[in-house]
């Protein structure tokens, strides 16, 4: 399973990329707004730093304008995937961009049928928003299970990119179901790094070493 980061925060992207954890990035207008600064600069830097796929989202709403915007976004790098919304215009743009060799991520997917249609339109990724489905009292992960099975049934090359992930249990469940990609808010990835027994175990090792040698260690597990 690939791990993407769902953020436009370049500092955090570099932190986790340095650990070798970032297979790609997803952004959207809300995440660029949250990161602040000039969005064009942010998109250029992210596309440069990350070698894997970087999804950059169009803000145009009609298909001609989406295609034009998608071609412009693609100039940030050969790793740019154009993100379009799950609308009739979005699917028309998906078909045209894909046929030009520009990969597309269809976002704001909330149903099995929407994902099937996006795959038929040539999407490289479909992005079901599981956390937002959970918020409505329905089971977002059921959609992932359905899509993994359906795409396998028909040999679709479109990848299931699990989005709107809210906590580490979502990640484990997505992995058990065989989802292709999860895109994680940095806070979720940070939680996945830690376990209380790891910290206790390391504190004990360091304390025992200090007792044995009379020397402390420069490493502090409380900083992790
Ligand atoms: O990748 C989609 C994501 O950014 C939306 O997440 O938590 O706002 O539903 P959320």
């Amino acid at each position: 399973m690939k791990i993407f980061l769902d953020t436009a925060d370049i500092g955090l992207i570099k932190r986790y990329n340095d650990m070798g954890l970032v297979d790609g990035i997803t952004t959207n207008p809300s995440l660029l707004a949250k990161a602040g600064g000039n969005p064009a600069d942010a998109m250029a830097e992210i596309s440069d730093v990350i070698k894997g796929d970087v999804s950059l989202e169009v803000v145009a709403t009609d298909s001609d304008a989406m295609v034009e915007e998608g071609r412009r976004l693609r100039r940030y790098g050969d790793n740019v995937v154009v993100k379009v919304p799950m609308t009739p215009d979005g699917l028309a743009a998906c078909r045209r961009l894909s046929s030009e060799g520009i990969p597309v991520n269809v976002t704001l997917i909330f149903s099995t049928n929407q994902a099937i249609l996006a795959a038929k339109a040539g999407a490289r990724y479909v992005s079901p928003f599981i956390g937002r489905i959970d918020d409505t009292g329905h089971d977002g992960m059921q959609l992932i299970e359905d899509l993994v099975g359906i795409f396998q049934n028909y040999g679709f090359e479109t990848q299931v990119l699990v989005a709107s992930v809210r906590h580490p249990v979502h990640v484990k469940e997505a992995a058990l179901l065989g989802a292709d990609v999860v895109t994680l808010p940095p806070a979720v990835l940070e939680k996945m790094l830690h376990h209380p027994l790891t910290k206790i175990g390391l504190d004990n090792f360091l304390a025992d070493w200090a007792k044995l040698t009379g020397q402390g260690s420069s490493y502090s597990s409380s900083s992790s």
Side-chain angles (χ1 to χ4, degrees), residues 206 209-211 213-219:
L206 297 180
W209 186 252
K211 263 188 267 169
T213 63
Q215 292 169 4
S217 159
S218 58
Y219 185 85

Side-chain angles (χ1 to χ4, degrees), residues 15-222:
R15 167 178 164 74
Y16 297 107
N17 193 43
D18 284 349
M19 296 182 209
L21 301 179
V22 182
D23 297 314
I25 297 289
T26 51
T27 65
N28 60 41
S30 303
L31 293 171
L32 284 160
K34 190 174 164 195
N38 181 326
D41 291 346
M43 291 190 284
E45 190 172 7
I46 294 167
S47 310
D48 187 47
V49 166
I50 296 298
K51 299 307 162 209
D53 283 356
V54 173
S55 286
L56 303 178
E57 187 161 340
V58 301
V59 290
T61 53
D62 75 84
S63 65
D64 287 343
M66 282 185 200
V67 169
E68 282 308 314
E69 192 180 356
R71 289 175 183 147
R72 280 200 305 277
L73 291 171
R74 178 74 172 180
R75 290 191 202 125
Y76 286 113
D78 288 344
N79 56 341
V80 167
V81 175
V82 176
K83 214 191 221 190
V84 303
M86 176 60 217
T87 61
D89 280 279
L91 293 195
C94 176
R95 166 53 64 206
R96 286 167 60 190
L97 288 166
S98 300
S99 66
E100 290 176 18
I102 298 177
V104 175
N105 175 356
V106 178
T107 189
L108 291 166
I109 299 268
F110 293 93
S111 76
T112 316
N113 286 334
Q114 285 182 319
I116 292 170
L117 298 180
K120 297 288 286 183
R124 173 177 290 183
Y125 300 106
V126 289
S127 291
F129 276 31
I130 61 163
R132 294 192 193 181
I133 294 174
D134 289 352
D135 289 343
T136 67
H138 296 274
D139 182 4
M141 204 53 72
Q142 183 61 51
L143 177 55
I144 303 305
E145 184 172 355
D146 292 346
L147 291 180
V148 169
I150 290 166
F151 286 11
Q152 267 172 11
N153 285 348
Y154 294 101
F156 286 173
E157 288 180 8
T158 302
Q159 297 178 48
V160 177
L161 191 164
V162 182
S164 184
V165 169
R166 299 281 170 76
H167 49 70
V169 176
H170 273 155
V171 183
K172 184 176 92 171
E173 290 175 348
L176 286 168
L177 292 172
D180 299 286
V181 189
V182 286
T183 188
L184 305 183
V188 173
L189 184 52
E190 187 64 35
K191 285 179 188 162
M192 290 167 61
L193 285 168
H194 301 291
H195 193 287
L197 292 179
T198 303
K199 178 176 167 9
I200 291 167
L202 181 55
D203 286 346
N204 287 340
F205 286 153
L206 297 180
D208 288 343
W209 186 252
K211 263 188 267 169
L212 177 67
T213 63
Q215 292 169 4
S217 159
S218 58
Y219 185 85
S220 164
S221 70
S222 62

